[in-house]
Amino acid sequence: MNWRALLARPSAANGLPRPEIRFWLINGLILVALYLLVVQPIRAALANGEDALAERRATLARYASVAAQAQRIESFAKGVAARNDGGQFIAGDNDGLVAANLQTRLKSAADGAKVEVRSLQALPSKTAQGSTLVGARLEVTGTIEAVRALVRDLEGGRPLLMIGDADLRSQTNIWGAPEGKEPQLEAAIDVFGAAAPRSSR
């Protein structure tokens, strides 16, 4: 059988290809159209879905990492608060109570040193090495020894306090202290302390 003659022979007078060839051409075009219109969009959607799923998994992993850090920080804060039994930090459930507790401590130290409190006022808090320090200014009058005892008590007692600034002035006039009285000092002392860590509720 001569296949070349069959393929080369036109199917009609107008020169169109044979019906078998037309069948395969039409079916091929339909398959290409189906691939481009149906299969390719489905494959693209699946690929996009996999990318979105991978992105969601990465986001979930980041959230899990943050949650683990938060739990670690929370447990650390609880441990520090438990270790504050020695009173190293100023206790208080909020900033107002911490400031009030600091002022109570300063008044108690002044009474113990036998100095006269002229003024006691809160100072703006400040940050040192990532820790918030609460402050107060204590203005007192007393003898040199009494003021020295006050400073020793503040820097050596509990909670741990730090004197940020001190202004000392003599109350004695140019002729000296009256006979039988010790020279008096006016002292303005800025004191700062760290608040005890509070666990978030």
Side-chain angles (χ1 to χ4, degrees):
M1 184 174 211
N2 190 352
W3 292 102
R4 285 185 190 170
L6 284 173
L7 290 174
R9 188 174 57 193
S11 65
N14 59 5
L16 292 174
R18 293 177 59 81
E20 297 88 9
I21 296 174
R22 273 187 295 180
F23 172 78
W24 289 114
L25 285 174
I26 292 170
N27 285 331
L29 290 174
I30 291 172
L31 287 174
V32 169
L34 281 174
Y35 177 80
L36 293 175
L37 296 175
V38 178
V39 176
Q40 186 61 27
I42 289 174
R43 289 183 63 190
L46 289 175
N48 290 339
E50 288 175 4
D51 291 344
L53 185 60
E55 187 176 335
R56 287 190 184 114
R57 282 182 180 150
T59 303
L60 182 61
R62 284 196 297 271
Y63 286 156
S65 173
V66 169
Q69 292 289 344
Q71 289 172 353
R72 200 171 307 135
I73 291 169
E74 178 77 16
S75 64
F76 175 75
K78 286 179 181 174
V80 171
R83 288 194 300 272
N84 194 32
D85 292 341
Q88 297 90 338
F89 300 104
I90 304 169
D93 290 335
N94 56 51
D95 293 342
L97 285 175
V98 171
N101 287 337
L102 172 62
Q103 291 184 19
T104 301
R105 168 72 178 93
L106 296 180
K107 180 74 170 69
S108 172
D111 291 344
K114 297 189 173 28
V115 294
E116 178 187 347
V117 177
R118 297 174 55 231
S119 171
L120 180 57
Q121 59 187 5
L123 292 174
S125 61
K126 62 182 183 178
T127 303
Q129 296 181 353
S131 298
T132 301
L133 301 177
V134 178
R137 173 168 292 160
L138 175 64
E139 296 182 7
V140 297
T141 303
T143 65
I144 295 173
E145 281 306 316
V147 172
R148 186 180 297 157
L150 171 64
V151 171
R152 273 198 307 264
D153 184 17
L154 292 178
E155 290 193 327
R158 298 293 174 93
L160 300 178
L161 300 175
M162 174 182 66
I163 294 178
D165 194 15
D167 182 21
L168 303 174
R169 289 188 299 269
S170 173
Q171 273 194 327
T172 308
N173 57 33
I174 57 172
W175 295 284
E179 194 168 328
K181 287 192 77 176
E182 292 186 55
Q184 298 284 305
L185 284 179
E186 290 180 6
I189 306 170
D190 294 349
V191 183
F192 291 89
R198 298 187 290 269
S199 60
S200 59
R201 306 230 191 274

